[in-house]
Amino acid sequence: MSQPILELKDLDVFYGPIQALKKVNLQIQEGETVSLIGANGAGKSTLLMSIFGQPRAAAGQILYRGTDITQKSSHFVASNGIAQSPEGRRVFPDMSVEENLLMGTIPVGDQHAEQDMQAMFELFPRLKERRNQRAMTMSGGEQQMLAIARALMSRPKLLLLDEPSLGLAPIVVKQIFQTLRELARSGMTIFLVEQNANHALRLSNRGYVMVNGEIRLSGSGEELLGNEEVRKAYLGGH
Ligand SMILES: Nc1ncnc2c1ncn2[C@@H]1O[C@H](COP(=O)(O)OP(=O)(O)O)[C@@H](O)[C@H]1O
Ligand SMILES: [Mg+2]
């Protein structure tokens, strides 16, 4: 296998005395869509945030394209090709859609801003209609689209998404996953954290299942969709 774009090796993360990640091992190859599923509190967001060094790993390693980034600043990580759409779609509420998108260019500079904004408006036509609207006045689904588009404005090589379907109506979830499928087809490497295991695994080449800070299972999206334990715990038993 070629060098992974991202590799976590025996990663331990603590919040004070509480160990949130326990010896986590995980690899993502360039061009893959990989999902991390698990219940609320399993450690999924902690894992994503630790890639940006917040929280910092207590032990283990995070390699990005072969470079050890375990002790790097979040600015270093962002300006070298990793972007994140955080849980709870934290857009800047008082800023317009365009202003939010511009904020996404901060790690890399705004020389491609105009061109990339047009590309985002093609990917998310809803954002184009609302380009001058303040983010706080938009629906949850529109804010989620904006959070993803803002992350893409830094032209990442690896896109991290934390629960993009959280709290959204089924039809909006479908739209968002449709767009993620388009992005994946265009060659973007996507690492997706989801409680919505069904949508996530159907989109993904591979997946990991996290339980109490540990990777419990891994396999192809199809294998995990057919796995008894996954079906019982995350797919409503069907
Ligand atoms: N800032 C924090 N301080 C202390 N404990 C935290 C903090 N953030 C998360 N935790 C704890 O770490 C564990 C993993 O949380 P999290 O990564 O948010 O899980 P998930 O994203 O899978 O729901 C939980 O027990 C949670 O309560
Ligand atoms: Mg979370």
Side-chain angles (χ1 to χ4, degrees), residues 144-196:
Q144 183 61 62
M145 292 171 195
L146 180 56
I148 296 170
R150 187 182 62 195
L152 289 169
M153 288 294 287
S154 67
R155 296 193 169 189
K157 297 192 169 59
L158 171 62
L159 177 65
L160 312 181
L161 300 171
D162 196 345
E163 304 224 31
S165 78
L166 193 68
L168 301 180
I171 183 148
V172 182
V173 173
K174 225 171 149 184
Q175 281 170 2
I176 296 215
F177 273 87
Q178 190 54 45
T179 306
L180 295 181
R181 197 172 289 278
E182 274 176 50
L183 262 179
R185 274 211 199 102
S186 76
M188 180 63 69
T189 309
I190 301 174
F191 185 30
L192 173 65
V193 161
E194 265 294 344
Q195 282 188 59
N196 192 332

Side-chain angles (χ1 to χ4, degrees), residues 44-45 87 162-163:
K44 305 181 299 300
S45 295
E87 186 178 318
D162 196 345
E163 304 224 31

Side-chain angles (χ1 to χ4, degrees), residues 50 121 142:
S50 71
F121 290 155
E142 289 159 359

Side-chain angles (χ1 to χ4, degrees), residues 27-210:
Q27 296 96 31
I28 300 175
Q29 299 293 326
E30 196 143 7
E32 273 193 311
T33 297
V34 173
S35 57
L36 175 68
I37 62 173
N40 202 12
K44 305 181 299 300
S45 295
T46 300
L47 192 157
L48 277 198
M49 295 186 302
S50 71
I51 296 168
F52 282 83
Q54 297 165 337
R56 229 357 120 219
Q61 264 188 324
I62 304 171
L63 302 175
Y64 171 60
R65 306 171 108 193
T67 300
D68 189 339
I69 60 165
T70 321
Q71 301 301 330
K72 299 288 191 192
S73 67
S74 55
H75 177 78
F76 178 92
V77 174
S79 58
N80 279 278
I82 306 183
Q84 152 158 244
S85 167
E87 186 178 318
R89 40 184 170 275
R90 274 174 268 133
V91 293
F92 298 99
D94 289 324
M95 290 188 183
S96 70
V97 165
E98 287 193 350
E99 288 164 341
N100 266 280
L101 291 176
L102 280 177
M103 295 300 280
T105 67
I106 285 178
V108 293
D110 64 0
Q111 63 277 19
H112 301 296
E114 203 45 52
Q115 182 189 348
D116 290 359
M117 215 182 277
Q118 293 311 319
M120 289 306 114
F121 290 155
E122 269 175 43
L123 195 61
F124 298 103
R126 266 311 214 6
L127 296 182
K128 186 174 190 177
E129 294 165 27
R130 285 163 172 66
R131 59 198 298 165
N132 296 313
Q133 196 169 321
R134 281 200 299 170
M136 65 190 289
T137 65
M138 302 202 302
S139 72
E142 289 159 359
Q143 290 185 32
Q144 183 61 62
M145 292 171 195
L146 180 56
I148 296 170
R150 187 182 62 195
L152 289 169
M153 288 294 287
S154 67
R155 296 193 169 189
K157 297 192 169 59
L158 171 62
L159 177 65
L160 312 181
L161 300 171
D162 196 345
E163 304 224 31
S165 78
L166 193 68
L168 301 180
I171 183 148
V172 182
V173 173
K174 225 171 149 184
Q175 281 170 2
I176 296 215
F177 273 87
Q178 190 54 45
T179 306
L180 295 181
R181 197 172 289 278
E182 274 176 50
L183 262 179
R185 274 211 199 102
S186 76
M188 180 63 69
T189 309
I190 301 174
F191 185 30
L192 173 65
V193 161
E194 265 294 344
Q195 282 188 59
N196 192 332
N198 187 29
H199 270 291
L201 292 174
R202 276 169 34 203
L203 175 75
S204 297
N205 304 105
R206 291 188 304 110
Y208 292 84
V209 178
M210 178 164 263

